[in-house]
Amino acid sequence: MAETTTLKKFESIFPKLVEDVLDHAKTYKLPEEFVSWYKASLNSNTIGGKCNRGMSVPDSVSMLREAPLSEKEYFETATLGWMTELLQSFFLVSDDIMDSSKTRRGQPCWYLQPHVGMVSINDAFMLESAIYVLLKKYFRQHPAYVDLMELFHETTFQTELGQLCDLLTAPEDKVNLDNFSLTKYEFIVIYKTAWYSFYLPVALALHHQNIATPKNLKQAEKILIPLGTYFQVQDDYLDNFGLPEHIGKIGTDILDNKCSWLVNKALEIVTPEQRKILEDNYGQKDATKEAAVKKLYDELNVEKIYQDYEKKAVGEIKAKIANLDESEGLKKSVFDSFLSKIYKRTK
């Protein structure tokens, strides 16, 4: 029977991994004060999130095995999970600088922490480098070592392509709704979110178990990329229609000129007069103008449009899962688990 990890158990191995990375840095005679800085960066930027991506790796392996993991297996798969979290940390530290964000996980962003500033750019690079230090230490002898390395490199590149499209499509300081389209939105979502948040953990699990056949990887991609797209559309919906006490934050997509699913769907159906409302009010740091956009969303019945989308998207994902070929070791339960975590979520 498969076993689900807990955040407490998952976090318990991270201090060991931090020490591994620091020990490697010390081999270059890095002065102790800078070792301490690196340690603070690793801990501050990697610990504190929900770790859903990282925990999905041991959980997926357990479901593939249909059995609890041994202590060694858990450590190995959780280490792969923490590499995923380090990748996430690298993206978030960089993204916060690019977006001029103020807070992350309830604290000032890393670049706004005392005495950090633009050192955070190098800190982001070092978070990424930690992935490959750990990969070499623990997986150098694994048959899939090169595949694992290439997977991290390719996923990083894919995410950076998504970020490029996002930054150039919707700069915070220049609102141009002509830049927006559902085609661009889907590219941003697939490349900025779906590949590293959904495909990467499962691909890591398949490689760990030596069943990352071309067929299995393609089957996983065909389910997980639509699943990741649904997740982000859902996130955009919750930004506007979710309750702040449930989602843990106040949505800012309208204020921040985000190329969100909601504004793109609205642009598809607005009259010229309604488009003028969007052009005059979207992406402005003004609560009254934000309210005007929200009112327009209600008039356009965007919430019902989302509900119809969700029903169709989830139905298609369920059909893909039902038709999965398990002959090469892939299990439907892996994908059922992902879907159950996000279907009809409120936060």
Side-chain angles (χ1 to χ4, degrees):
M1 190 73 179
E3 187 176 64
T4 303
T5 191
T6 64
L7 183 59
K8 183 177 179 181
K9 183 178 181 182
F10 184 67
E11 286 185 339
S12 70
I13 76 160
F14 190 63
K16 169 74 171 82
L17 303 181
V18 170
E19 289 309 310
D20 289 334
V21 174
L22 298 179
D23 286 345
H24 185 67
K26 290 174 187 175
T27 64
Y28 298 106
K29 297 182 170 51
L30 183 69
E32 194 57 42
E33 62 186 296
F34 305 136
V35 173
S36 297
W37 180 284
Y38 194 13
K39 182 176 183 178
S41 172
L42 286 163
N43 284 314
S44 297
N45 292 307
T46 314
I47 294 287
K50 296 187 288 289
C51 293
N52 288 334
R53 294 168 183 82
M55 291 192 296
S56 293
V57 182
D59 285 353
S60 295
V61 171
S62 185
M63 283 182 273
L64 290 169
R65 293 279 307 280
E66 296 183 328
L69 304 178
S70 69
E71 189 174 334
K72 179 177 183 290
E73 288 168 334
Y74 182 80
F75 181 82
E76 286 182 358
T77 56
T79 296
L80 288 170
W82 276 114
M83 292 178 205
T84 305
E85 293 297 324
L86 284 163
L87 186 66
Q88 158 89 335
S89 302
F90 161 53
F91 292 147
L92 294 184
V93 171
S94 307
D95 194 51
D96 286 343
I97 299 168
M98 288 181 262
D99 288 349
S100 301
S101 299
K102 302 303 179 191
T103 60
R104 171 70 62 184
R105 296 168 180 164
Q107 300 292 325
C109 294
W110 182 244
Y111 79 100
L112 294 175
Q113 297 275 352
H115 314 300
V116 178
M118 290 302 105
V119 178
S120 57
I121 296 174
N122 194 63
D123 290 336
F125 298 157
M126 293 181 73
L127 290 166
E128 182 193 23
S129 293
I131 296 167
Y132 300 100
V133 172
L134 294 171
L135 191 62
K136 184 176 181 180
K137 179 175 177 65
Y138 290 108
F139 297 94
R140 183 69 180 81
Q141 304 306 319
H142 194 284
Y145 177 62
V146 173
D147 292 316
L148 289 166
M149 188 183 299
E150 289 184 348
L151 177 61
F152 274 109
H153 281 309
E154 198 63 26
T155 305
T156 303
F157 184 60
Q158 289 166 324
T159 308
E160 289 162 351
L161 291 176
Q163 177 75 339
L164 176 67
C165 188
D166 192 14
L167 291 168
L168 297 181
T169 298
E172 268 196 68
D173 59 345
K174 187 178 181 182
V175 181
N176 181 2
L177 297 182
D178 288 335
N179 266 349
F180 290 2
S181 71
L182 274 173
T183 300
K184 283 183 181 176
Y185 174 79
E186 288 171 3
F187 183 92
I188 292 167
V189 168
I190 289 170
Y191 285 90
K192 188 177 175 179
T193 300
W195 281 107
Y196 94 94
S197 297
F198 288 82
Y199 177 80
L200 175 61
V202 175
L204 289 171
L206 291 171
H207 280 299
H208 181 269
Q209 291 297 293
N210 294 312
I211 54 171
T213 63
K215 180 178 179 179
N216 279 347
L217 290 171
K218 182 54 68 175
Q219 285 196 109
E221 176 189 330
K222 286 182 176 179
I223 296 171
L224 293 166
I225 299 307
L227 197 57
T229 302
Y230 162 53
F231 173 82
Q232 187 58 54
V233 172
Q234 190 181 50
D235 215 50
D236 292 355
Y237 166 79
L238 291 172
D239 185 89
N240 187 76
F241 294 103
L243 299 173
E245 58 268 30
H246 285 169
I247 63 177
K249 63 179 181 179
I250 296 171
T252 60
D253 283 1
I254 295 170
L255 296 171
D256 294 341
N257 189 37
K258 291 295 184 183
C259 179
S260 87
W261 187 83
L262 302 183
V263 72
N264 277 294
K265 293 306 288 187
L267 286 167
E268 282 190 331
I269 58 174
V270 287
T271 63
E273 293 78 14
Q274 289 170 327
R275 184 183 173 94
K276 184 72 164 58
I277 293 172
L278 279 178
E279 288 174 342
D280 290 345
N281 295 283
Y282 198 80
Q284 310 294 321
K285 304 293 188 183
D286 183 307
T288 304
K289 292 187 174 186
E290 180 190 34
V293 176
K294 285 177 172 282
K295 183 171 181 287
L296 180 60
Y297 283 169
D298 290 339
E299 289 172 5
L300 294 170
N301 211 1
V302 172
E303 186 165 18
K304 175 66 165 58
I305 294 171
Y306 167 77
Q307 289 166 351
D308 291 343
Y309 158 82
E310 181 178 53
K311 183 177 180 180
K312 181 173 184 287
V314 172
E316 290 172 351
I317 291 166
K318 285 182 175 178
K320 286 186 171 88
I321 295 172
N323 292 324
L324 185 78
D325 183 347
E326 296 181 316
S327 63
E328 295 183 7
L330 199 53
K331 303 294 182 189
K332 294 176 183 178
S333 58
V334 172
F335 306 99
D336 285 331
S337 174
F338 270 90
L339 182 57
S340 68
K341 288 175 186 175
I342 64 174
Y343 180 56
K344 294 291 186 184
R345 69 187 173 102
T346 58
K347 59 182 180 179

